[in-house]
Amino acid sequence: MSASAAPVKAGPGKQTTKADRVTSFNEGTGRLAATLLSPTLIVLVLVVVYPIIAALRESLYTSGDRVDADGFIVQGSQFVGLDNFTAIFSGEVGDRFWNAFYNTTFFTVTCVVLETILGMAMAMVMHKAFKGRSVVRAAILVPWAIPTVVSALLWKWIFQADGAANALLGQQILWSTEGWQSVLSVIIADTWKTAPFIGLLVLAGLQTIPDEVYEAAKVDGASPFNTFIRITLPLVKPALLVAVLFRILDTLRIFDLPFVLVGANKSSVETLSILAYLESNQNRYGPAAAYATLLFIYVAVTAFVFVKLLGADVLGDAVQKKKGKKNGKSKNKLDAPPGVGPAAAAGGGGGF
Amino acid sequence: MRFERSHTRKAVALAVAGSLALLASACGGDDGSKSDTGGAAAGALEGRGPITFATGKDTSGNLGAQVAAWNSQHPDQKVTVSELPESADAQRSQMIQNAQAKSDTFTVLNLDVVWTAEFAANRWITQLPEDKFPDLGKLLPSTVDTAKYRDKLYAVPVTSDGGLLYYRKDLLDKAGVKPPTTWAEMKAACDKVKALPEGKTISCYAGQFEKYEGLTVNFSEAVNGAGGVVVGDDGKPNVDTPEALAGLQFLVDGFKSGEIPKAAITYQEEPGRRAFQEGNLVFHRNWPYMYALANKTDGSSKVAGKFAVAPLPGKDGAGVSTLGGHNYGINEFAKNKATAVDFINFMASEERQRANIEKTSQAPTWASLYDDAALNKQFPYLAPLKASIGSAKSRPKVVKYGDVTTAIQEAAYGALTGTTPPKDALAGLQTKLSSLITP
C-alpha cells in the first residue's frame, strides 16, 4: 500500500515503473507487461526520442556550404561541434536571433495575458444561463475551429491596404509593413483565434463548481467581485492554469500567423520558429537544427518553471500528488473532498 | 522479487536499445551516402519507359491535355504527372527532399528559372548535351540563358515571363501623350494626366514592392533599367555603383513624391492588379497574366478596354525586364532519362507551346510564336512581351539564391521605407552579396 500511494513522478515514458511498485507480480506477468508495452515504447522512441536526438545530432553538423572550382557544392557534412550554436550568438546573426527571441517572448506574454482575460470573460458569458446560450457558445468557438493559416489569410485580407480594417478606421495604416502595426495585427489575430480555447477550458472548470458554494457566499453577503476573487478564481485555477500553459507553449512556437499575415523576413514579427524554418529552407539544416534546439530548450524551461511556480496540473499525475499531500494540510480549501484522492490513486495504481 | 523487477527493466531496456540500434543504423545509412559524390551517371541519358513529371499545381488547366497528347503517341513510355503544391517554396522543398534522398520518384522537374543554379550546383539535375535538343536555337536566347549554369545546359525553358508596363490608354490619349519609353517621359505623362479632371485622385505608378520575391524582381529591373547590374556577367556582385543608385533612387523618389502610392509598399501582384483595375493607377508594372483579368467585362475591372501595354521604360531608354518562367530539368537519380529527353523536347516543341499559349496565355519560349498573326490577334500584348523578354535579364544565377534574394529584399525594402539611405543600402548589399557569392 505504501508503495502504491507514493507520488507517481513518472512522465509518459516511465509508466512501466508502476509495475515495479506492485509486489505481487510473478515473472510471467512482468514479462507480459514488458511485451505489451514494448510497441508503445518503440513508437514513442520513433516519434519522440528519435527526432529530438536526430535534431541534436544534426545541429552539430554543417553541409553544402562550399562550392568547388567547377561550381559544384562540396558534398558531405562536416562535424563542427558547437559552432552552429556559437555562431547564433555573434554578429549580425546574433542580432537577428535576439530580435526573434524578443519577439517570441513578447508575443507569448502579450497574447497569453490578453487571451486569458478575454477567455475568462468568454467563459463567464458562456456559463451564464440565458436564452440562445448555445448559439453564443458556438459563435465564440468558431475562431478556434478555423485553421491558423486560414485565419491568417482572413486577417491578411482585413489588414491589407484597402481592407476592412482601414475602411473602419478611416485611415490608411499599412499593417503588413515593419513596425508596431504589424506586431499589433499579429496580436489581434492570435487573440481572436485562441481566446476561445481558454474560454472553453475555463468553462469546463466553471461547470464543476457546485452551486452551493455560491449560495453560501450569497448568504455571507459577499460582493460579486469578492465572489469572483475568492471563489470562482481559486476553484477554476487548475483548469485555467492548464489552458494558460498550453497557450504559452503554443505561442512560444508561433509560426504560421506572422509568416502568412505579415510575411517572411519581416524583423518586427520574426520568431524563433520562423528563423529555424528560413534556415532549413536554405538547406542549412545544421544551423536550423541549432535554432530548433534552442527553441526546444526555451519551451522546456518555460514549461518547467511554469509548472513549478504555479503547479499547473498538466498530465494528471499532479492530481494524485497534490491530493496525497493536501490531505493533511489544506482542509480549508474548497478542493475535492478529502479521502477521494488517495483512494483513487491507489485504485489507479493497483488496477494496472 | 528483486529479480523480477530487474528482469522487467531489462526487457524494457532491451526494447529501447533495440529500437535505438535500428535508428542508429538508419543514421549510419544516411552518413554512408555522404561519401558518394553523385553524378556518376551524368551524361548517360539512357533508358526508356514510363516517367514522372513533377510540377507545381497546374493552375492553367491545360497540362492534362499536353501530357495526354504525349501519352497517346507513346503508350509504352507513359508520363505520369505528379502535382506538387501551388506555392513555389513548397515545390522547391519537395524536389530538394527527393533529391537529397536520391529518389527516382520524379523524372522530369518543372523548375522555376531561379532554381537552376542551386539544383545544378548540388548535382540534383543532370547536365544536358545541347545537341540532344535541336530546338534550342529557335528559343529566345535570354530564356535559354536562364537554363544554364556556368555556361553548361541543365534544363530547357518551356515557359517564360517578362514584365510589362500597363497604362491607361484612355487617359494618355486624352492628355495627348504617347506611351513612355523612359522614366522621365512616364513622369511627364503622369503630370499631364493628373492635370485632367479625371486624374485628380489617381496615382502615377506601382509595381510589386512588398518584401518578397517580387521586390527582388522590381529592384533588379530598376537597377538594370538604369544601366547597372546586381551581379555582373563575371558572376561577381557589383551593385554599389552610380547606375544602380540611380535605379534605386527612381523608386525611392517615387515613394517620396507620392507618384508611387504609399500603399504600394504592401503590393504583391494581386493587390497591385486590383489597384490598377479600380482605376487608381496610370501606370502599373505586372506580368502578362494580368492582361486577361484586367480586361474582364464582368464588372470586376473598371478599366476593361481602357488600357494597353508597352515594354518597361528605363532611365535613358527602353527598360530591362527581369525574366520569369519555368525550365524542365531531369532528376540526376531518375531512370529512363532517354524518355525524359524526348518528353522535354516534346513539351518545348513549337506545336505544344502553341497549343499551350492558345489555352493558357502562358508566355512561350519559341521566338516564332510571338510573330504569329493569329496569336497576336488573340493576345495583343505579344509584341511588347517579345521586346520585354528579348532584352530581359535573369536574376542572379547563384547557388545560394535564397540568401541572395533575401539580402536584396532587405536592402531595397530599407531604402523604400526610408529607414536606410539608398547609398548605404547599396553599399551594405554589396558587402552582403560578396560574402554570399563564391565566384
Side-chain angles (χ1 to χ4, degrees):
Chain A
M1 181 61 209
S2 68
S4 56
V8 184
K9 268 201 170 168
K14 284 187 182 170
Q15 278 159 1
T16 45
T17 51
K18 280 185 182 175
D20 302 341
R21 290 184 282 106
V22 182
T23 52
S24 58
F25 275 173
N26 59 32
E27 194 180 333
T29 323
R31 193 176 293 155
L32 179 68
T35 317
L36 289 175
L37 274 175
S38 55
T40 315
L41 275 175
I42 291 173
V43 169
L44 275 178
V45 165
L46 277 175
V47 302
V48 179
V49 181
Y50 173 61
I52 294 174
I53 294 175
L56 278 172
R57 178 187 160 277
E58 189 71 52
S59 69
L60 306 177
Y61 286 83
T62 171
S63 67
D65 241 12
R66 289 176 300 126
V67 175
D68 66 16
D70 299 322
F72 293 115
I73 293 274
V74 179
Q75 304 279 315
S77 48
Q78 291 102 39
F79 180 79
V80 292
L82 294 175
D83 282 6
N84 287 334
F85 288 95
T86 48
I88 286 175
F89 296 105
S90 62
E92 214 178 305
V93 184
D95 294 346
R96 205 170 172 194
F97 169 79
W98 286 116
N99 173 59
F101 184 81
Y102 167 78
N103 286 343
T104 309
T105 313
F106 179 77
F107 278 134
T108 306
V109 173
T110 323
C111 291
V112 173
V113 166
L114 285 174
E115 283 154 20
T116 309
I117 296 169
L118 255 174
M120 221 29 220
M122 284 175 173
M124 304 293 273
V125 169
M126 287 191 279
H127 190 53
K128 281 267 180 315
F130 60 88
K131 225 180 176 184
R133 182 167 76 159
S134 53
V135 178
V136 173
R137 276 190 194 178
I140 285 181
L141 287 176
V142 165
W144 177 245
I146 297 176
T148 311
V149 175
V150 177
S151 72
L153 284 171
L154 191 83
W155 283 99
K156 190 189 174 94
W157 178 67
I158 291 173
F159 282 129
Q160 69 193 15
D162 53 352
N166 282 343
L168 267 176
L169 295 169
Q171 321 200 352
Q172 196 178 46
I173 298 171
L174 301 172
W175 294 92
S176 67
T177 51
E178 298 273 19
W180 61 268
Q181 66 277 21
S182 57
V183 178
L184 185 62
S185 70
V186 170
I187 291 174
I188 291 174
D190 192 61
T191 309
W192 174 83
K193 182 179 157 51
T194 55
F197 170 75
I198 292 191
L200 186 68
L201 289 203
V202 172
L203 176 66
L206 282 177
Q207 287 177 338
T208 61
I209 304 176
D211 286 342
E212 293 83 11
V213 185
Y214 285 106
E215 282 160 15
K218 216 178 220 172
V219 171
D220 289 348
S223 69
F225 177 75
N226 261 332
T227 315
F228 178 76
I229 294 292
R230 305 269 173 113
I231 296 176
T232 311
L233 216 47
L235 285 182
V236 90
K237 189 183 151 201
L240 184 63
L241 286 184
V242 171
V244 168
L245 178 63
F246 275 32
R247 282 307 307 146
I248 289 178
L249 301 189
D250 236 12
T251 322
L252 279 176
R253 53 181 178 72
I254 189 168
F255 171 82
D256 28 14
L257 197 57
F259 193 84
V260 175
L261 180 57
V262 183
N265 296 318
K266 295 270 175 71
S267 57
S268 315
V269 297
E270 194 164 68
T271 65
L272 290 173
S273 301
I274 293 181
L275 263 188
Y277 167 81
L278 290 176
E279 280 295 298
S280 76
N281 204 33
Q282 302 309 330
N283 306 328
R284 285 193 294 269
Y285 300 117
Y291 280 120
T293 304
L294 287 174
L295 178 59
F296 172 74
I297 293 170
Y298 186 36
V299 171
V301 167
T302 311
F304 181 77
V305 168
F306 187 83
V307 171
K308 277 285 155 201
L309 282 184
L310 292 163
D313 175 12
V314 193
L315 296 166
D317 57 64
V319 177
Q320 300 172 348
K321 211 193 303 182
K322 236 190 263 169
K323 279 171 184 164
K325 258 194 248 164
K326 268 187 192 162
N327 210 4
K329 71 172 183 183
S330 62
K331 278 226 165 98
N332 56 338
K333 287 211 177 167
L334 292 151
D335 232 326
V340 176
F352 178 73
Chain B
M1 185 202 94
R2 282 273 144 213
F3 170 73
E4 284 159 21
R5 195 180 296 175
S6 68
H7 188 86
T8 314
R9 281 212 180 125
K10 212 181 272 169
V12 172
L14 262 175
V16 174
S19 39
L20 275 178
L22 207 96
L23 291 167
S25 66
C27 292
D30 189 18
D31 290 348
S33 61
K34 280 188 298 190
S35 54
D36 184 1
T37 46
L45 298 166
E46 287 158 3
R48 293 192 175 276
I51 60 169
T52 313
F53 175 51
T55 176
K57 187 172 158 39
D58 174 36
T59 47
S60 72
N62 193 44
L63 185 65
Q66 298 280 66
V67 171
W70 164 273
N71 283 344
S72 65
Q73 289 170 30
H74 306 84
D76 54 335
Q77 300 174 53
K78 276 221 171 7
V79 171
T80 317
V81 175
S82 179
E83 254 189 335
L84 305 179
E86 195 173 340
S87 120
D89 254 0
Q91 291 164 29
R92 175 174 156 272
S93 55
Q94 284 208 12
M95 288 179 186
I96 290 179
Q97 277 163 22
N98 266 278
Q100 286 177 333
K102 300 187 189 300
S103 155
D104 61 359
T105 316
F106 302 149
T107 318
V108 175
L109 304 174
N110 186 359
L111 304 166
D112 193 305
V113 288
V114 292
W115 303 340
T116 313
E118 183 185 23
F119 275 67
N122 280 290
R123 300 184 206 252
W124 292 331
I125 48 177
T126 309
Q127 192 194 318
L128 303 174
E130 296 195 22
D131 54 4
K132 289 231 180 182
F133 299 89
D135 294 340
L136 223 46
K138 293 169 188 150
L139 308 182
L140 290 168
S142 57
T143 65
V144 178
D145 184 57
T146 64
K148 289 186 174 173
Y149 176 63
R150 301 223 170 188
D151 287 329
K152 286 171 189 148
L153 188 73
Y154 282 89
V156 174
V158 174
T159 60
S160 187
D161 222 354
L164 292 172
L165 184 73
Y166 290 78
Y167 65 93
R168 289 288 299 277
K169 194 171 181 339
D170 57 333
L171 296 179
L172 258 63
D173 284 350
K174 208 162 194 189
V177 280
K178 279 195 286 190
T181 54
T182 66
W183 293 336
E185 281 177 32
M186 187 162 84
K187 192 175 175 324
C190 219
D191 290 342
K192 283 194 178 154
V193 168
K194 281 178 91 76
L196 296 173
E198 302 91 318
K200 285 227 163 58
T201 57
I202 206 162
S203 290
C204 182
Y205 173 77
Q208 291 78 43
F209 304 120
E210 169 68 292
K211 203 176 186 182
Y212 80 120
E213 187 61 26
L215 181 57
T216 303
V217 168
N218 278 259
F219 170 80
S220 305
E221 281 171 357
V223 168
N224 291 331
V229 292
V230 179
V231 173
D233 291 333
D234 57 356
K236 284 181 187 154
N238 190 20
V239 77
D240 192 11
T241 57
E243 291 84 14
L245 182 63
L248 181 57
Q249 200 70 51
F250 157 65
L251 296 179
V252 172
D253 291 348
F255 270 104
K256 260 193 200 136
S257 65
E259 279 157 25
I260 300 177
K262 293 264 173 302
I265 197 73
T266 67
Y267 283 180
Q268 298 196 2
E269 278 82 356
E270 286 297 280
R273 174 172 74 85
R274 275 201 307 273
F276 186 77
Q277 288 183 179
E278 287 293 307
N280 298 334
L281 292 168
V282 186
F283 298 104
H284 182 49
R285 180 250 174 250
N286 209 333
W287 307 97
Y289 90 99
M290 169 172 149
Y291 194 91
L293 294 169
N295 237 346
K296 271 195 177 165
T297 47
D298 61 357
S300 63
S301 171
K302 291 185 185 159
V303 298
K306 294 182 183 167
F307 69 93
V309 289
L312 295 175
K315 183 164 172 279
D316 305 310
V320 180
S321 166
T322 298
L323 269 177
H326 277 82
N327 300 333
Y328 287 8
I330 300 177
N331 174 10
E332 177 77 40
F333 313 102
K335 292 181 189 125
N336 300 331
K337 287 186 187 169
T339 301
V341 169
D342 290 354
F343 176 66
I344 291 176
N345 273 325
F346 174 83
M347 292 293 275
S349 68
E350 186 179 17
E351 187 197 352
R352 280 298 114 204
Q353 290 208 15
R354 177 190 293 275
N356 200 45
I357 183 179
E358 278 172 357
K359 288 271 155 50
T360 71
S361 82
Q362 269 175 352
T365 54
W366 265 79
S368 59
L369 289 176
Y370 288 92
D371 304 325
D372 185 278
L375 285 177
N376 265 289
K377 206 165 170 211
Q378 193 183 347
F379 304 105
Y381 56 82
L382 277 185
L385 183 60
K386 187 185 185 186
S388 170
I389 295 177
S391 65
K393 284 220 168 95
S394 354
R395 276 160 278 176
K397 285 199 262 179
V398 291
V399 182
K400 293 183 180 174
Y401 182 75
D403 291 323
V404 167
T405 184
T406 306
I408 293 174
Q409 291 164 33
E410 195 71 45
Y413 196 78
L416 296 190
T417 51
T419 50
T420 334
K423 188 140 185 32
D424 298 357
L426 292 180
L429 181 59
Q430 174 69 21
T431 317
K432 185 96 209 206
L433 291 183
S434 305
S435 72
L436 285 173
I437 299 172
T438 349

